[in-house]
PDB file of all heavy atoms in Angstrom:
ATOM      1  N   ASP A  78       4.762  28.714 -23.524  1.00 82.00           N
ATOM      2  CA  ASP A  78       3.666  29.386 -22.909  1.00 82.00           C
ATOM      3  C   ASP A  78       4.240  30.512 -22.012  1.00 82.00           C
ATOM      4  O   ASP A  78       5.285  30.349 -21.408  1.00 82.00           O
ATOM      5  CB  ASP A  78       2.839  28.458 -22.088  1.00 82.00           C
ATOM      6  CG  ASP A  78       1.719  29.088 -21.316  1.00 82.00           C
ATOM      7  OD1 ASP A  78       0.668  29.402 -21.943  1.00 82.00           O
ATOM      8  OD2 ASP A  78       1.924  29.313 -20.118  1.00 82.00           O
ATOM      9  N   ASP A  79       3.562  31.645 -21.926  1.00 84.00           N
ATOM     10  CA  ASP A  79       4.074  32.812 -21.164  1.00 84.00           C
ATOM     11  C   ASP A  79       4.273  32.392 -19.709  1.00 84.00           C
ATOM     12  O   ASP A  79       5.248  32.800 -19.067  1.00 84.00           O
ATOM     13  CB  ASP A  79       3.094  33.954 -21.257  1.00 84.00           C
ATOM     14  CG  ASP A  79       3.118  34.567 -22.620  1.00 84.00           C
ATOM     15  OD1 ASP A  79       3.964  34.158 -23.465  1.00 84.00           O
ATOM     16  OD2 ASP A  79       2.251  35.467 -22.936  1.00 84.00           O
ATOM     17  N   GLU A  80       3.311  31.681 -19.147  1.00 85.00           N
ATOM     18  CA  GLU A  80       3.430  31.284 -17.725  1.00 85.00           C
ATOM     19  C   GLU A  80       4.628  30.393 -17.525  1.00 85.00           C
ATOM     20  O   GLU A  80       5.305  30.457 -16.520  1.00 85.00           O
ATOM     21  CB  GLU A  80       2.092  30.604 -17.256  1.00 85.00           C
ATOM     22  CG  GLU A  80       0.913  31.556 -17.261  1.00 85.00           C
ATOM     23  CD  GLU A  80      -0.332  30.812 -16.758  1.00 85.00           C
ATOM     24  OE1 GLU A  80      -0.209  29.642 -16.385  1.00 85.00           O
ATOM     25  OE2 GLU A  80      -1.421  31.455 -16.715  1.00 85.00           O
ATOM     26  N   ARG A  81       4.882  29.451 -18.470  1.00 85.00           N
ATOM     27  CA  ARG A  81       6.025  28.527 -18.313  1.00 85.00           C
ATOM     28  C   ARG A  81       7.314  29.317 -18.429  1.00 85.00           C
ATOM     29  O   ARG A  81       8.273  29.107 -17.644  1.00 85.00           O
ATOM     30  CB  ARG A  81       5.955  27.451 -19.385  1.00 85.00           C
ATOM     31  CG  ARG A  81       4.732  26.532 -19.351  1.00 85.00           C
ATOM     32  CD  ARG A  81       4.767  25.603 -18.151  1.00 85.00           C
ATOM     33  NE  ARG A  81       3.796  24.559 -18.260  1.00 85.00           N
ATOM     34  CZ  ARG A  81       2.518  24.621 -18.054  1.00 85.00           C
ATOM     35  NH1 ARG A  81       1.984  25.827 -17.746  1.00 85.00           N
ATOM     36  NH2 ARG A  81       1.680  23.591 -18.136  1.00 85.00           N
ATOM     37  N   TYR A  82       7.376  30.230 -19.414  1.00 87.00           N
ATOM     38  CA  TYR A  82       8.553  31.060 -19.565  1.00 87.00           C
ATOM     39  C   TYR A  82       8.871  31.847 -18.281  1.00 87.00           C
ATOM     40  O   TYR A  82       9.974  31.889 -17.819  1.00 87.00           O
ATOM     41  CB  TYR A  82       8.399  32.021 -20.743  1.00 87.00           C
ATOM     42  CG  TYR A  82       8.426  31.361 -22.107  1.00 87.00           C
ATOM     43  CD1 TYR A  82       7.878  32.073 -23.187  1.00 87.00           C
ATOM     44  CD2 TYR A  82       8.872  30.084 -22.289  1.00 87.00           C
ATOM     45  CE1 TYR A  82       7.864  31.477 -24.456  1.00 87.00           C
ATOM     46  CE2 TYR A  82       8.856  29.496 -23.525  1.00 87.00           C
ATOM     47  CZ  TYR A  82       8.357  30.221 -24.600  1.00 87.00           C
ATOM     48  OH  TYR A  82       8.311  29.636 -25.868  1.00 87.00           O
ATOM     49  N   LEU A  83       7.799  32.424 -17.707  1.00 85.00           N
ATOM     50  CA  LEU A  83       7.965  33.225 -16.516  1.00 85.00           C
ATOM     51  C   LEU A  83       8.406  32.335 -15.354  1.00 85.00           C
ATOM     52  O   LEU A  83       9.333  32.744 -14.572  1.00 85.00           O
ATOM     53  CB  LEU A  83       6.654  33.922 -16.175  1.00 85.00           C
ATOM     54  CG  LEU A  83       6.709  34.786 -14.911  1.00 85.00           C
ATOM     55  CD1 LEU A  83       7.689  35.909 -15.058  1.00 85.00           C
ATOM     56  CD2 LEU A  83       5.275  35.408 -14.658  1.00 85.00           C
ATOM     57  N   TRP A  84       7.821  31.133 -15.209  1.00 85.00           N
ATOM     58  CA  TRP A  84       8.265  30.243 -14.139  1.00 85.00           C
ATOM     59  C   TRP A  84       9.685  29.826 -14.241  1.00 85.00           C
ATOM     60  O   TRP A  84      10.465  29.878 -13.265  1.00 85.00           O
ATOM     61  CB  TRP A  84       7.356  29.002 -14.154  1.00 85.00           C
ATOM     62  CG  TRP A  84       7.384  28.236 -12.858  1.00 85.00           C
ATOM     63  CD1 TRP A  84       6.572  28.353 -11.777  1.00 85.00           C
ATOM     64  CD2 TRP A  84       8.343  27.196 -12.536  1.00 85.00           C
ATOM     65  NE1 TRP A  84       6.928  27.462 -10.804  1.00 85.00           N
ATOM     66  CE2 TRP A  84       8.023  26.712 -11.250  1.00 85.00           C
ATOM     67  CE3 TRP A  84       9.389  26.596 -13.211  1.00 85.00           C
ATOM     68  CZ2 TRP A  84       8.760  25.708 -10.615  1.00 85.00           C
ATOM     69  CZ3 TRP A  84      10.130  25.598 -12.610  1.00 85.00           C
ATOM     70  CH2 TRP A  84       9.826  25.170 -11.295  1.00 85.00           C
ATOM     71  N   ILE A  85      10.116  29.480 -15.481  1.00 85.00           N
ATOM     72  CA  ILE A  85      11.486  29.051 -15.724  1.00 85.00           C
ATOM     73  C   ILE A  85      12.405  30.284 -15.484  1.00 85.00           C
ATOM     74  O   ILE A  85      13.508  30.147 -14.969  1.00 85.00           O
ATOM     75  CB  ILE A  85      11.661  28.523 -17.115  1.00 85.00           C
ATOM     76  CG1 ILE A  85      10.803  27.223 -17.286  1.00 85.00           C
ATOM     77  CG2 ILE A  85      13.095  28.202 -17.398  1.00 85.00           C
ATOM     78  CD1 ILE A  85      10.713  26.731 -18.701  1.00 85.00           C
ATOM     79  N   TYR A  86      11.950  31.477 -15.954  1.00 84.00           N
ATOM     80  CA  TYR A  86      12.761  32.680 -15.822  1.00 84.00           C
ATOM     81  C   TYR A  86      13.038  33.013 -14.332  1.00 84.00           C
ATOM     82  O   TYR A  86      14.111  33.388 -13.942  1.00 84.00           O
ATOM     83  CB  TYR A  86      11.984  33.823 -16.497  1.00 84.00           C
ATOM     84  CG  TYR A  86      12.779  35.123 -16.543  1.00 84.00           C
ATOM     85  CD1 TYR A  86      13.541  35.430 -17.658  1.00 84.00           C
ATOM     86  CD2 TYR A  86      12.677  36.039 -15.518  1.00 84.00           C
ATOM     87  CE1 TYR A  86      14.257  36.626 -17.755  1.00 84.00           C
ATOM     88  CE2 TYR A  86      13.356  37.272 -15.577  1.00 84.00           C
ATOM     89  CZ  TYR A  86      14.147  37.547 -16.691  1.00 84.00           C
ATOM     90  OH  TYR A  86      14.839  38.723 -16.754  1.00 84.00           O
ATOM     91  N   GLU A  87      11.994  32.853 -13.506  1.00 82.00           N
ATOM     92  CA  GLU A  87      12.112  33.154 -12.068  1.00 82.00           C
ATOM     93  C   GLU A  87      12.828  32.099 -11.325  1.00 82.00           C
ATOM     94  O   GLU A  87      13.399  32.377 -10.246  1.00 82.00           O
ATOM     95  CB  GLU A  87      10.739  33.428 -11.497  1.00 82.00           C
ATOM     96  CG  GLU A  87      10.021  34.651 -12.048  1.00 82.00           C
ATOM     97  CD  GLU A  87       8.624  34.836 -11.524  1.00 82.00           C
ATOM     98  OE1 GLU A  87       8.054  33.842 -10.979  1.00 82.00           O
ATOM     99  OE2 GLU A  87       8.030  35.923 -11.650  1.00 82.00           O
ATOM    100  N   HIS A  88      12.784  30.859 -11.782  1.00 80.00           N
ATOM    101  CA  HIS A  88      13.462  29.742 -11.126  1.00 80.00           C
ATOM    102  C   HIS A  88      14.749  29.403 -11.833  1.00 80.00           C
ATOM    103  O   HIS A  88      14.868  28.298 -12.440  1.00 80.00           O
ATOM    104  CB  HIS A  88      12.555  28.498 -11.007  1.00 80.00           C
ATOM    105  CG  HIS A  88      11.342  28.730 -10.126  1.00 80.00           C
ATOM    106  ND1 HIS A  88      10.288  29.453 -10.506  1.00 80.00           N
ATOM    107  CD2 HIS A  88      11.095  28.301  -8.898  1.00 80.00           C
ATOM    108  CE1 HIS A  88       9.353  29.461  -9.562  1.00 80.00           C
ATOM    109  NE2 HIS A  88       9.831  28.776  -8.546  1.00 80.00           N
ATOM    110  N   ASP A  89      15.630  30.276 -11.844  1.00 71.00           N
ATOM    111  CA  ASP A  89      16.911  30.079 -12.566  1.00 71.00           C
ATOM    112  C   ASP A  89      17.686  28.960 -11.866  1.00 71.00           C
ATOM    113  O   ASP A  89      17.868  29.044 -10.649  1.00 71.00           O
ATOM    114  CB  ASP A  89      17.743  31.404 -12.504  1.00 71.00           C
ATOM    115  CG  ASP A  89      18.957  31.264 -13.407  1.00 71.00           C
ATOM    116  OD1 ASP A  89      18.956  30.393 -14.340  1.00 71.00           O
ATOM    117  OD2 ASP A  89      19.877  32.072 -13.229  1.00 71.00           O
ATOM    118  N   GLY A  90      18.101  28.002 -12.629  1.00 62.00           N
ATOM    119  CA  GLY A  90      18.811  26.833 -12.024  1.00 62.00           C
ATOM    120  C   GLY A  90      18.408  25.533 -12.643  1.00 62.00           C
ATOM    121  O   GLY A  90      18.501  24.484 -12.003  1.00 62.00           O
ATOM    122  N   SER A  91      17.883  25.572 -13.849  1.00 75.00           N
ATOM    123  CA  SER A  91      17.580  24.350 -14.668  1.00 75.00           C
ATOM    124  C   SER A  91      16.532  23.494 -13.962  1.00 75.00           C
ATOM    125  O   SER A  91      16.903  22.401 -13.395  1.00 75.00           O
ATOM    126  CB  SER A  91      18.805  23.552 -14.982  1.00 75.00           C
ATOM    127  OG  SER A  91      19.747  24.345 -15.687  1.00 75.00           O
ATOM    128  N   PRO A  92      15.285  23.873 -13.851  1.00 81.00           N
ATOM    129  CA  PRO A  92      14.230  23.030 -13.248  1.00 81.00           C
ATOM    130  C   PRO A  92      14.017  21.802 -14.101  1.00 81.00           C
ATOM    131  O   PRO A  92      14.217  21.805 -15.301  1.00 81.00           O
ATOM    132  CB  PRO A  92      13.017  23.956 -13.192  1.00 81.00           C
ATOM    133  CG  PRO A  92      13.281  24.919 -14.318  1.00 81.00           C
ATOM    134  CD  PRO A  92      14.726  25.145 -14.382  1.00 81.00           C
ATOM    135  N   THR A  93      13.568  20.749 -13.417  1.00 86.00           N
ATOM    136  CA  THR A  93      13.249  19.508 -14.158  1.00 86.00           C
ATOM    137  C   THR A  93      11.897  19.621 -14.831  1.00 86.00           C
ATOM    138  O   THR A  93      11.140  20.540 -14.483  1.00 86.00           O
ATOM    139  CB  THR A  93      13.261  18.314 -13.149  1.00 86.00           C
ATOM    140  OG1 THR A  93      12.167  18.528 -12.213  1.00 86.00           O
ATOM    141  CG2 THR A  93      14.535  18.204 -12.420  1.00 86.00           C
ATOM    142  N   LEU A  94      11.643  18.688 -15.721  1.00 86.00           N
ATOM    143  CA  LEU A  94      10.400  18.698 -16.454  1.00 86.00           C
ATOM    144  C   LEU A  94       9.204  18.547 -15.572  1.00 86.00           C
ATOM    145  O   LEU A  94       8.176  19.179 -15.721  1.00 86.00           O
ATOM    146  CB  LEU A  94      10.424  17.597 -17.550  1.00 86.00           C
ATOM    147  CG  LEU A  94       9.225  17.521 -18.445  1.00 86.00           C
ATOM    148  CD1 LEU A  94       9.024  18.800 -19.274  1.00 86.00           C
ATOM    149  CD2 LEU A  94       9.318  16.265 -19.391  1.00 86.00           C
ATOM    150  N   ASP A  95       9.322  17.631 -14.593  1.00 86.00           N
ATOM    151  CA  ASP A  95       8.190  17.379 -13.650  1.00 86.00           C
ATOM    152  C   ASP A  95       7.918  18.596 -12.759  1.00 86.00           C
ATOM    153  O   ASP A  95       6.783  18.727 -12.305  1.00 86.00           O
ATOM    154  CB  ASP A  95       8.490  16.161 -12.783  1.00 86.00           C
ATOM    155  CG  ASP A  95       8.504  14.870 -13.606  1.00 86.00           C
ATOM    156  OD1 ASP A  95       7.514  14.617 -14.254  1.00 86.00           O
ATOM    157  OD2 ASP A  95       9.550  14.204 -13.590  1.00 86.00           O
ATOM    158  N   GLU A  96       8.925  19.467 -12.600  1.00 85.00           N
ATOM    159  CA  GLU A  96       8.712  20.692 -11.848  1.00 85.00           C
ATOM    160  C   GLU A  96       7.923  21.714 -12.670  1.00 85.00           C
ATOM    161  O   GLU A  96       7.151  22.544 -12.177  1.00 85.00           O
ATOM    162  CB  GLU A  96       9.972  21.304 -11.373  1.00 85.00           C
ATOM    163  CG  GLU A  96      10.709  20.443 -10.313  1.00 85.00           C
ATOM    164  CD  GLU A  96      12.057  20.999  -9.966  1.00 85.00           C
ATOM    165  OE1 GLU A  96      12.663  21.701 -10.775  1.00 85.00           O
ATOM    166  OE2 GLU A  96      12.542  20.783  -8.844  1.00 85.00           O
ATOM    167  N   VAL A  97       8.128  21.661 -13.982  1.00 85.00           N
ATOM    168  CA  VAL A  97       7.502  22.661 -14.855  1.00 85.00           C
ATOM    169  C   VAL A  97       6.108  22.185 -15.287  1.00 85.00           C
ATOM    170  O   VAL A  97       5.171  23.016 -15.393  1.00 85.00           O
ATOM    171  CB  VAL A  97       8.395  22.849 -16.133  1.00 85.00           C
ATOM    172  CG1 VAL A  97       7.699  23.852 -17.065  1.00 85.00           C
ATOM    173  CG2 VAL A  97       9.761  23.351 -15.702  1.00 85.00           C
ATOM    174  N   ILE A  98       5.913  20.905 -15.514  1.00 84.00           N
ATOM    175  CA  ILE A  98       4.626  20.374 -16.030  1.00 84.00           C
ATOM    176  C   ILE A  98       4.165  19.277 -15.120  1.00 84.00           C
ATOM    177  O   ILE A  98       4.914  18.398 -14.678  1.00 84.00           O
ATOM    178  CB  ILE A  98       4.838  19.784 -17.454  1.00 84.00           C
ATOM    179  CG1 ILE A  98       5.415  20.847 -18.398  1.00 84.00           C
ATOM    180  CG2 ILE A  98       3.521  19.231 -17.995  1.00 84.00           C
ATOM    181  CD1 ILE A  98       5.704  20.276 -19.800  1.00 84.00           C
ATOM    182  N   GLN A  99       2.868  19.326 -14.764  1.00 81.00           N
ATOM    183  CA  GLN A  99       2.274  18.223 -14.039  1.00 81.00           C
ATOM    184  C   GLN A  99       1.683  17.210 -14.952  1.00 81.00           C
ATOM    185  O   GLN A  99       1.152  17.527 -16.062  1.00 81.00           O
ATOM    186  CB  GLN A  99       1.148  18.771 -13.153  1.00 81.00           C
ATOM    187  CG  GLN A  99       1.631  19.729 -12.041  1.00 81.00           C
ATOM    188  CD  GLN A  99       0.506  20.236 -11.187  1.00 81.00           C
ATOM    189  OE1 GLN A  99      -0.670  20.041 -11.495  1.00 81.00           O
ATOM    190  NE2 GLN A  99       0.862  20.856 -10.082  1.00 81.00           N
TER     191      GLN A  99
END
Side-chain angles (χ1 to χ4, degrees):
D78 176 79
D79 291 352
E80 294 182 2
R81 299 289 193 282
Y82 291 161
L83 180 60
W84 195 92
I85 298 171
Y86 187 91
E87 294 175 345
H88 293 75
D89 188 21
S91 300
T93 64
L94 181 63
D95 292 304
E96 290 175 336
V97 179
I98 303 175
Q99 295 181 350

